[in-house]
Amino acid sequence: MGPITLSADVKSSSVSVASSDACNKKMRNSMLERRKPFASVSTGEEKPFDFFRTLFEGFIAGGTAGVVVETALYPIDTIKTRLQAARGGGKINFQGLYSGLAGNLAGVLPASALFVGVYEPTKQKLLKLFPENLSAAAHLTAGAVGGMAASLIRVPTEVIKQRMQTGQFTSAPDAVRLIVSKEGFKGIYAGYGSFLLRDLPFDALQFCIYEQLRIGYKAAAQRDLNDPENAIIGAFAGALTGAITTPLDVIKTRLMVQGSANQYKGIFDCVQTIVREEGPPALLKGIGPRVLWIGIGGSIFFGVLESTKRFLAQRRPTTLPQNSDTKQD
C-alpha cells in the first residue's frame, strides 16, 4: 500500500505545482495588460485573416450605413451646399431639399461599400504590421486608402448631386449627359483635387478618432461597446472632423458647382478669390449645417456599421475559430 500512497502524493504535488504556475502566468499576463498604453490593441491568439470575408462584410456594412445616413440627412446636406455655393449676400432656396437623392444613392451605395470594404482589411493588416503603440497610424493610413479608392465613385456622385442641389439640373441622367457634352468627361470629375484635399484628411481623421476613442473606452470599461455608445463616439468624431475640414469643403463645393464658367483656376486661386471678395469668414460658410449633418451622420453611420458588422459576424461559418482577443479595431 505504501508505493500506491507515494504515487498519489507525487501526482497531487505535480497538479499543485502546475496549478500554481498557471495562476502565476495569469497574474503576469494581467499585469502586462494593465500596463498597455491607451491606444494599444491586444493581439491575443491570432485567428486566420480571411481577406475576402472581411472585404465582403465591409462592402455590406458600409453600403448599408451609407444609404441610411444619406437618406436621413440629405436635406441638411442640401442646405449646407446652397449656403456654400451662394456668393456674397445671395438668398438660400429652401425648396426641393431632396432634389437629386435617388441619383445620389446610386453613387453613395457603391462608394460607401467600397470605402469600408477596402478600409476593414487594410486596417486589420496594418494593425498586425505596426507596433501596438502606433495603432493610430494604422487607422489613419487605412482611412486614407479607403478614401482614395472610394473617390473614384464619390467625385462624380458629388458633382452631380451638388449641381442638382443648386438647381442646375432636374435629373441625374440629364446632369451626366449635359455635363459630359459641355465640359467633357473631366466635367464629372470637376474639383477632384480639392475633393481629395478635403476627403482624404477627413476620412483618415474621422476613422482614427473614432477607432482610438473606442479602444480607450473599451479598455476603461473592460467590455465590448453597445450600439448607443458606438453612436455617441461616432457623433463626436464626425462633428469634430467636420468642423476642422469646413474650409476644405467650401473650396471643394465652389470648384464643383462652377461648371463651364470657370470662375476659379484652381484650389489656390479659389481660396484667394474667396478671401479677397468675401473675406476669410466665407471659408467657414455652412459650418453649422456641416457639423450638425456630419455629427448626426457619424452617429447613425457608425451605429449602423457596427451593428451590421456584428450581425454578419454572428452568421460566419462555425468552423472558423472564434476568439474575442483577436487583434482588431
Side-chain angles (χ1 to χ4, degrees):
M1 295 297 291
I4 295 176
T5 303
L6 178 60
S7 176
D9 290 341
V10 170
K11 288 180 179 179
S12 176
S13 176
S14 175
V15 171
S16 177
V17 170
S19 177
S20 177
D21 288 344
C23 289
N24 289 336
K25 186 176 180 181
K26 286 182 179 179
M27 289 178 64
R28 286 195 300 270
N29 289 340
S30 178
M31 291 176 65
L32 285 173
E33 286 179 3
R34 281 196 288 265
R35 291 175 186 169
K36 287 182 179 179
F38 170 81
S40 67
V41 287
S42 176
T43 55
E45 294 180 6
E46 300 288 348
K47 67 181 178 182
F49 176 62
D50 191 337
F51 175 83
F52 290 106
R53 177 166 292 277
T54 304
L55 183 71
F56 170 75
E57 291 181 357
F59 271 121
I60 300 300
T64 302
V67 168
V68 172
V69 170
E70 194 67 19
T71 302
L73 302 180
Y74 195 79
I76 300 177
D77 184 40
T78 299
I79 294 171
K80 182 268 302 181
T81 298
R82 291 175 181 176
L83 283 170
Q84 292 178 342
R87 305 187 66 179
K91 294 182 179 180
I92 307 300
N93 180 13
F94 289 96
Q95 295 180 344
L97 296 182
Y98 270 99
S99 176
L101 174 62
N104 193 50
L105 288 181
V108 167
L109 175 58
S112 298
L114 182 59
F115 176 88
V116 180
V118 171
Y119 172 79
E120 285 293 334
T122 303
K123 175 188 74 173
Q124 294 189 27
K125 275 292 186 183
L126 290 176
L127 286 173
K128 293 179 180 180
L129 294 175
F130 285 22
E132 290 188 0
N133 60 349
L134 292 181
S135 63
H139 294 136
L140 279 168
T141 305
V145 172
M148 180 66 75
S151 69
L152 298 176
I153 302 174
R154 280 178 174 176
V155 173
T157 302
E158 191 81 354
V159 169
I160 294 167
K161 177 192 75 173
Q162 294 193 338
R163 298 283 184 93
M164 294 182 67
Q165 286 176 331
T166 53
Q168 297 183 35
F169 304 104
T170 56
S171 70
D174 285 344
V176 174
R177 179 173 55 82
L178 292 173
I179 289 172
V180 172
S181 64
K182 291 182 179 180
E183 305 170 41
F185 184 76
K186 66 178 182 180
I188 62 174
Y189 278 92
Y192 186 75
S194 64
F195 185 90
L196 292 182
L197 180 66
R198 181 203 70 171
D199 270 43
L200 292 190
F202 178 88
D203 291 331
L205 284 173
Q206 184 183 31
F207 275 76
C208 180
I209 293 171
Y210 171 74
E211 298 276 18
Q212 293 295 297
L213 287 175
R214 287 187 77 238
I215 290 172
Y217 193 100
K218 287 172 70 175
Q222 296 184 343
R223 61 173 175 79
D224 288 333
L225 277 62
N226 55 41
D227 289 340
E229 290 168 334
N230 286 323
I232 291 171
I233 293 174
F236 179 80
L240 179 60
T241 310
I244 293 172
T245 57
T246 294
L248 301 177
D249 189 49
V250 172
I251 297 166
K252 182 269 307 178
T253 298
R254 291 295 181 89
L255 290 173
M256 282 187 167
V257 302
Q258 67 177 335
S260 57
N262 291 325
Q263 298 106 319
Y264 311 110
K265 298 177 182 178
I267 295 173
F268 294 107
D269 179 62
C270 181
V271 174
Q272 291 175 347
T273 303
I274 291 173
V275 172
R276 183 178 64 253
E277 295 181 356
E278 304 171 55
L283 292 173
L284 294 177
K285 274 189 171 184
I287 188 171
R290 177 172 168 80
V291 169
L292 176 64
W293 168 55
I294 297 179
I296 300 174
S299 173
I300 298 173
F301 181 88
F302 286 110
V304 173
L305 180 70
E306 298 297 340
S307 178
T308 307
K309 284 166 59 178
R310 185 172 61 253
F311 174 83
L312 294 172
Q314 290 171 350
R315 281 152 182 77
R316 290 173 185 166
T318 55
T319 53
L320 290 178
Q322 299 293 325
N323 191 337
S324 60
D325 292 330
T326 300
K327 182 176 184 178
Q328 55 186 341
D329 290 327

